[in-house]
Amino acid sequence: QSAPQFRLLVVGAAEKYSLQMGDHVVSEQIVPCRACRFCLRGGYHMCVPHDIYGFHQHSQGAMATYMKYPANSINHKVSKEIPAWQAAFIEPLSCSIHAVELANIQFNDVVVIAGCGPLGLGMVAAARDKNPAKLIALDMLDWKVRKGEEKLNF
């Protein structure tokens, strides 16, 4: 069983995001500095310090029951009606959809996605909605491709 990119977390009060103790929250994976030229232009995903959860000492990873978000983190409240196991896919699925949007897939394109993990299968699902001429998914492990075929009918 693979671990989700981010787990559903319980956090303390955060006026910035109108959060209260006990709210369910997902956080974007990059903690922007909000001062570099990219952040100042709204391109925080290119932030120069590029502080990502779990990769630097400033922001610990999310494989924990509780998590302390840095002051500059970008957080989103999740409805308590969404089960935790589904909410855990919000961040990786949004990354997959963003990648497909950047690819600018057209109707007659042949699309190849290398890797059938959570992000790759999210890209397969999003790319399929763009109606490419052909959609090909590759992985070193056959069972991952079969799981994608089974769940996503590609």
Side-chain angles (χ1 to χ4, degrees), residues 2 112-124 136-149 152 154:
S2 63
V112 178
I113 296 173
C116 290
L119 292 175
L121 291 179
M123 285 184 244
V124 168
I136 301 167
L138 309 169
D139 200 286
M140 299 288 287
L141 302 172
D142 290 339
W143 69 266
K144 287 185 174 184
V145 176
R146 285 193 304 274
K147 183 58 80 172
E149 289 171 337
L152 297 173
F154 69 89

mmCIF file of all heavy atoms in Angstrom, residues 2 112-124 136-149 152 154:
data_model
loop_
_atom_site.group_PDB
_atom_site.id
_atom_site.type_symbol
_atom_site.label_atom_id
_atom_site.label_comp_id
_atom_site.label_asym_id
_atom_site.label_seq_id
_atom_site.Cartn_x
_atom_site.Cartn_y
_atom_site.Cartn_z
ATOM 1 N N SER A 2 0.682 2.125 -0.951
ATOM 2 C CA SER A 2 1.493 3.330 -1.007
ATOM 3 C C SER A 2 0.843 4.414 -0.157
ATOM 4 O O SER A 2 -0.359 4.462 0.016
ATOM 5 C CB SER A 2 1.631 3.810 -2.452
ATOM 6 O OG SER A 2 0.374 4.154 -2.963
ATOM 7 N N VAL A 112 1.428 10.019 -24.199
ATOM 8 C CA VAL A 112 2.106 8.934 -23.492
ATOM 9 C C VAL A 112 2.380 9.409 -22.072
ATOM 10 O O VAL A 112 2.998 10.456 -21.872
ATOM 11 C CB VAL A 112 3.430 8.546 -24.185
ATOM 12 C CG1 VAL A 112 4.136 7.440 -23.398
ATOM 13 C CG2 VAL A 112 3.175 8.125 -25.627
ATOM 14 N N ILE A 113 1.926 8.637 -21.111
ATOM 15 C CA ILE A 113 2.161 8.946 -19.705
ATOM 16 C C ILE A 113 3.037 7.841 -19.131
ATOM 17 O O ILE A 113 2.664 6.670 -19.152
ATOM 18 C CB ILE A 113 0.835 9.090 -18.929
ATOM 19 C CG1 ILE A 113 0.068 10.289 -19.508
ATOM 20 C CG2 ILE A 113 1.096 9.260 -17.435
ATOM 21 C CD1 ILE A 113 -1.308 10.480 -18.985
ATOM 22 N N ALA A 114 4.217 8.240 -18.661
ATOM 23 C CA ALA A 114 5.180 7.289 -18.101
ATOM 24 C C ALA A 114 5.007 7.235 -16.590
ATOM 25 O O ALA A 114 5.280 8.202 -15.889
ATOM 26 C CB ALA A 114 6.599 7.692 -18.472
ATOM 27 N N GLY A 115 4.536 6.102 -16.109
ATOM 28 C CA GLY A 115 4.325 5.914 -14.679
ATOM 29 C C GLY A 115 2.858 5.827 -14.341
ATOM 30 O O GLY A 115 2.092 6.735 -14.658
ATOM 31 N N CYS A 116 2.452 4.735 -13.722
ATOM 32 C CA CYS A 116 1.043 4.513 -13.378
ATOM 33 C C CYS A 116 0.837 4.497 -11.867
ATOM 34 O O CYS A 116 0.041 3.736 -11.338
ATOM 35 C CB CYS A 116 0.551 3.204 -14.001
ATOM 36 S SG CYS A 116 0.416 3.286 -15.781
ATOM 37 N N GLY A 117 1.567 5.372 -11.180
ATOM 38 C CA GLY A 117 1.322 5.574 -9.759
ATOM 39 C C GLY A 117 0.157 6.535 -9.589
ATOM 40 O O GLY A 117 -0.567 6.826 -10.553
ATOM 41 N N PRO A 118 -0.048 7.076 -8.395
ATOM 42 C CA PRO A 118 -1.174 7.987 -8.166
ATOM 43 C C PRO A 118 -1.175 9.196 -9.102
ATOM 44 O O PRO A 118 -2.218 9.564 -9.636
ATOM 45 C CB PRO A 118 -1.009 8.414 -6.710
ATOM 46 C CG PRO A 118 -0.242 7.306 -6.078
ATOM 47 C CD PRO A 118 0.675 6.783 -7.151
ATOM 48 N N LEU A 119 -0.026 9.812 -9.316
ATOM 49 C CA LEU A 119 0.028 10.981 -10.198
ATOM 50 C C LEU A 119 -0.189 10.584 -11.645
ATOM 51 O O LEU A 119 -0.939 11.235 -12.377
ATOM 52 C CB LEU A 119 1.355 11.717 -10.045
ATOM 53 C CG LEU A 119 1.563 12.407 -8.699
ATOM 54 C CD1 LEU A 119 2.967 12.990 -8.618
ATOM 55 C CD2 LEU A 119 0.537 13.476 -8.465
ATOM 56 N N GLY A 120 0.463 9.520 -12.085
ATOM 57 C CA GLY A 120 0.317 9.068 -13.468
ATOM 58 C C GLY A 120 -1.107 8.672 -13.799
ATOM 59 O O GLY A 120 -1.632 9.044 -14.855
ATOM 60 N N LEU A 121 -1.756 7.924 -12.917
ATOM 61 C CA LEU A 121 -3.140 7.529 -13.191
ATOM 62 C C LEU A 121 -4.082 8.733 -13.136
ATOM 63 O O LEU A 121 -5.069 8.778 -13.859
ATOM 64 C CB LEU A 121 -3.588 6.435 -12.222
ATOM 65 C CG LEU A 121 -2.905 5.080 -12.440
ATOM 66 C CD1 LEU A 121 -3.403 4.067 -11.417
ATOM 67 C CD2 LEU A 121 -3.111 4.574 -13.854
ATOM 68 N N GLY A 122 -3.755 9.718 -12.294
ATOM 69 C CA GLY A 122 -4.529 10.955 -12.296
ATOM 70 C C GLY A 122 -4.381 11.669 -13.632
ATOM 71 O O GLY A 122 -5.344 12.217 -14.176
ATOM 72 N N MET A 123 -3.164 11.634 -14.193
ATOM 73 C CA MET A 123 -2.939 12.241 -15.510
ATOM 74 C C MET A 123 -3.672 11.475 -16.604
ATOM 75 O O MET A 123 -4.204 12.083 -17.540
ATOM 76 C CB MET A 123 -1.446 12.309 -15.819
ATOM 77 C CG MET A 123 -0.728 13.383 -15.050
ATOM 78 S SD MET A 123 0.985 13.491 -15.556
ATOM 79 C CE MET A 123 1.784 13.041 -14.034
ATOM 80 N N VAL A 124 -3.710 10.153 -16.498
ATOM 81 C CA VAL A 124 -4.457 9.353 -17.477
ATOM 82 C C VAL A 124 -5.932 9.756 -17.451
ATOM 83 O O VAL A 124 -6.542 9.981 -18.502
ATOM 84 C CB VAL A 124 -4.299 7.834 -17.201
ATOM 85 C CG1 VAL A 124 -5.298 7.020 -18.009
ATOM 86 C CG2 VAL A 124 -2.873 7.371 -17.497
ATOM 87 N N ILE A 136 -1.617 6.382 -24.156
ATOM 88 C CA ILE A 136 -0.759 5.253 -23.800
ATOM 89 C C ILE A 136 -0.204 5.490 -22.398
ATOM 90 O O ILE A 136 0.320 6.566 -22.106
ATOM 91 C CB ILE A 136 0.411 5.121 -24.797
ATOM 92 C CG1 ILE A 136 -0.135 4.927 -26.211
ATOM 93 C CG2 ILE A 136 1.352 3.985 -24.396
ATOM 94 C CD1 ILE A 136 0.901 5.105 -27.306
ATOM 95 N N ALA A 137 -0.323 4.497 -21.536
ATOM 96 C CA ALA A 137 0.242 4.573 -20.191
ATOM 97 C C ALA A 137 1.296 3.476 -20.053
ATOM 98 O O ALA A 137 1.054 2.329 -20.428
ATOM 99 C CB ALA A 137 -0.840 4.406 -19.136
ATOM 100 N N LEU A 138 2.455 3.845 -19.517
ATOM 101 C CA LEU A 138 3.567 2.904 -19.352
ATOM 102 C C LEU A 138 3.975 2.822 -17.890
ATOM 103 O O LEU A 138 3.879 3.804 -17.160
ATOM 104 C CB LEU A 138 4.798 3.391 -20.149
ATOM 105 C CG LEU A 138 4.613 3.748 -21.606
ATOM 106 C CD1 LEU A 138 5.857 4.444 -22.124
ATOM 107 C CD2 LEU A 138 4.322 2.492 -22.393
ATOM 108 N N ASP A 139 4.450 1.660 -17.498
ATOM 109 C CA ASP A 139 5.028 1.510 -16.170
ATOM 110 C C ASP A 139 5.939 0.297 -16.183
ATOM 111 O O ASP A 139 5.733 -0.632 -16.974
ATOM 112 C CB ASP A 139 3.941 1.342 -15.101
ATOM 113 C CG ASP A 139 4.466 1.670 -13.713
ATOM 114 O OD1 ASP A 139 5.225 0.857 -13.139
ATOM 115 O OD2 ASP A 139 4.145 2.768 -13.208
ATOM 116 N N MET A 140 6.930 0.293 -15.333
ATOM 117 C CA MET A 140 7.845 -0.846 -15.218
ATOM 118 C C MET A 140 7.151 -2.052 -14.581
ATOM 119 O O MET A 140 7.588 -3.178 -14.753
ATOM 120 C CB MET A 140 9.066 -0.465 -14.374
ATOM 121 C CG MET A 140 9.891 0.672 -14.975
ATOM 122 S SD MET A 140 10.804 0.154 -16.421
ATOM 123 C CE MET A 140 12.069 -0.831 -15.681
ATOM 124 N N LEU A 141 6.093 -1.798 -13.845
ATOM 125 C CA LEU A 141 5.371 -2.860 -13.151
ATOM 126 C C LEU A 141 4.036 -3.107 -13.839
ATOM 127 O O LEU A 141 3.156 -2.233 -13.852
ATOM 128 C CB LEU A 141 5.154 -2.486 -11.686
ATOM 129 C CG LEU A 141 6.434 -2.210 -10.892
ATOM 130 C CD1 LEU A 141 6.107 -1.651 -9.523
ATOM 131 C CD2 LEU A 141 7.273 -3.473 -10.771
ATOM 132 N N ASP A 142 3.872 -4.289 -14.395
ATOM 133 C CA ASP A 142 2.653 -4.629 -15.136
ATOM 134 C C ASP A 142 1.383 -4.478 -14.304
ATOM 135 O O ASP A 142 0.340 -4.070 -14.820
ATOM 136 C CB ASP A 142 2.733 -6.067 -15.676
ATOM 137 C CG ASP A 142 3.734 -6.212 -16.796
ATOM 138 O OD1 ASP A 142 4.070 -5.194 -17.433
ATOM 139 O OD2 ASP A 142 4.174 -7.351 -17.033
ATOM 140 N N TRP A 143 1.448 -4.797 -13.009
ATOM 141 C CA TRP A 143 0.248 -4.746 -12.189
ATOM 142 C C TRP A 143 -0.299 -3.327 -12.087
ATOM 143 O O TRP A 143 -1.508 -3.132 -11.970
ATOM 144 C CB TRP A 143 0.476 -5.360 -10.807
ATOM 145 C CG TRP A 143 1.385 -4.576 -9.901
ATOM 146 C CD1 TRP A 143 2.737 -4.749 -9.736
ATOM 147 C CD2 TRP A 143 1.013 -3.511 -9.023
ATOM 148 N NE1 TRP A 143 3.223 -3.852 -8.823
ATOM 149 C CE2 TRP A 143 2.189 -3.083 -8.358
ATOM 150 C CE3 TRP A 143 -0.184 -2.882 -8.731
ATOM 151 C CZ2 TRP A 143 2.202 -2.057 -7.429
ATOM 152 C CZ3 TRP A 143 -0.180 -1.843 -7.804
ATOM 153 C CH2 TRP A 143 1.006 -1.450 -7.166
ATOM 154 N N LYS A 144 0.583 -2.329 -12.155
ATOM 155 C CA LYS A 144 0.105 -0.946 -12.102
ATOM 156 C C LYS A 144 -0.669 -0.588 -13.367
ATOM 157 O O LYS A 144 -1.700 0.071 -13.312
ATOM 158 C CB LYS A 144 1.266 0.024 -11.912
ATOM 159 C CG LYS A 144 1.854 0.006 -10.521
ATOM 160 C CD LYS A 144 2.902 1.086 -10.405
ATOM 161 C CE LYS A 144 3.424 1.200 -8.993
ATOM 162 N NZ LYS A 144 4.382 2.319 -8.885
ATOM 163 N N VAL A 145 -0.182 -1.030 -14.507
ATOM 164 C CA VAL A 145 -0.881 -0.774 -15.771
ATOM 165 C C VAL A 145 -2.228 -1.489 -15.754
ATOM 166 O O VAL A 145 -3.248 -0.913 -16.129
ATOM 167 C CB VAL A 145 -0.031 -1.210 -16.981
ATOM 168 C CG1 VAL A 145 -0.806 -1.037 -18.280
ATOM 169 C CG2 VAL A 145 1.274 -0.424 -17.029
ATOM 170 N N ARG A 146 -2.237 -2.736 -15.289
ATOM 171 C CA ARG A 146 -3.499 -3.486 -15.222
ATOM 172 C C ARG A 146 -4.501 -2.806 -14.291
ATOM 173 O O ARG A 146 -5.694 -2.742 -14.570
ATOM 174 C CB ARG A 146 -3.246 -4.925 -14.781
ATOM 175 C CG ARG A 146 -2.634 -5.796 -15.867
ATOM 176 C CD ARG A 146 -2.679 -7.277 -15.519
ATOM 177 N NE ARG A 146 -2.048 -7.590 -14.252
ATOM 178 C CZ ARG A 146 -0.739 -7.836 -14.088
ATOM 179 N NH1 ARG A 146 0.079 -7.804 -15.134
ATOM 180 N NH2 ARG A 146 -0.252 -8.121 -12.921
ATOM 181 N N LYS A 147 -4.017 -2.293 -13.163
ATOM 182 C CA LYS A 147 -4.898 -1.593 -12.216
ATOM 183 C C LYS A 147 -5.489 -0.349 -12.877
ATOM 184 O O LYS A 147 -6.679 -0.062 -12.748
ATOM 185 C CB LYS A 147 -4.137 -1.202 -10.948
ATOM 186 C CG LYS A 147 -4.971 -0.545 -9.871
ATOM 187 C CD LYS A 147 -6.119 -1.395 -9.403
ATOM 188 C CE LYS A 147 -5.665 -2.445 -8.422
ATOM 189 N NZ LYS A 147 -6.787 -3.158 -7.805
ATOM 190 N N GLY A 148 -4.695 0.348 -13.636
ATOM 191 C CA GLY A 148 -5.192 1.513 -14.361
ATOM 192 C C GLY A 148 -6.214 1.131 -15.398
ATOM 193 O O GLY A 148 -7.249 1.795 -15.535
ATOM 194 N N GLU A 149 -5.957 0.079 -16.119
ATOM 195 C CA GLU A 149 -6.906 -0.402 -17.129
ATOM 196 C C GLU A 149 -8.239 -0.777 -16.459
ATOM 197 O O GLU A 149 -9.314 -0.450 -16.957
ATOM 198 C CB GLU A 149 -6.352 -1.628 -17.862
ATOM 199 C CG GLU A 149 -5.210 -1.326 -18.782
ATOM 200 C CD GLU A 149 -4.539 -2.595 -19.323
ATOM 201 O OE1 GLU A 149 -4.645 -3.664 -18.688
ATOM 202 O OE2 GLU A 149 -3.913 -2.483 -20.380
ATOM 203 N N LEU A 152 -9.713 2.693 -14.716
ATOM 204 C CA LEU A 152 -9.936 3.873 -15.574
ATOM 205 C C LEU A 152 -10.406 3.517 -16.975
ATOM 206 O O LEU A 152 -10.648 4.387 -17.793
ATOM 207 C CB LEU A 152 -8.656 4.695 -15.668
ATOM 208 C CG LEU A 152 -8.172 5.272 -14.344
ATOM 209 C CD1 LEU A 152 -6.801 5.925 -14.518
ATOM 210 C CD2 LEU A 152 -9.163 6.291 -13.803
ATOM 211 N N PHE A 154 -8.877 2.370 -19.643
ATOM 212 C CA PHE A 154 -8.111 2.906 -20.773
ATOM 213 C C PHE A 154 -7.444 1.782 -21.527
ATOM 214 O O PHE A 154 -7.422 0.675 -21.139
ATOM 215 C CB PHE A 154 -7.088 3.976 -20.331
ATOM 216 C CG PHE A 154 -5.941 3.466 -19.519
ATOM 217 C CD1 PHE A 154 -4.787 3.030 -20.145
ATOM 218 C CD2 PHE A 154 -5.988 3.443 -18.136
ATOM 219 C CE1 PHE A 154 -3.708 2.592 -19.394
ATOM 220 C CE2 PHE A 154 -4.933 3.003 -17.385
ATOM 221 C CZ PHE A 154 -3.785 2.569 -18.011
#
